[in-house]
Amino acid sequence: MKLLNDLLHTDYGLMSIIVITITLGMAVFFIRMFLVKMSEPPKPNPAKAALAARKQSQASAH
């Protein structure tokens, strides 16, 4: 009971609850974000497309 009393009624106990809550909230946010990002199809690489276009233009110039 003393542990619960310290956790809920002291400054270090309340800060501990705040830190734990923020950490769990961040974990939920990042797990959800990564799951959504993993389910998206990959986007084409613009640098690779520009390189291919440059090679094609150089090949047609020669």
Side-chain angles (χ1 to χ4, degrees):
M1 203 62 199
K2 170 88 169 100
L3 180 67
L4 193 58
N5 192 32
D6 282 347
L7 187 63
L8 297 175
H9 299 291
T10 60
D11 55 348
Y12 53 86
L14 293 174
M15 287 300 290
S16 297
I17 290 174
I18 290 170
V19 168
I20 291 167
T21 304
I22 290 171
T23 305
L24 290 175
M26 287 174 57
V28 169
F29 171 78
F30 282 116
I31 289 171
R32 183 178 173 273
M33 183 183 73
F34 293 144
L35 289 174
V36 168
K37 292 284 186 184
M38 287 190 307
S39 66
E40 292 178 358
K43 296 177 183 172
N45 186 352
K48 196 173 188 180
L51 182 61
R54 187 182 317 152
K55 283 183 180 180
Q56 186 179 14
S57 67
Q58 287 176 352
S60 64
H62 289 153

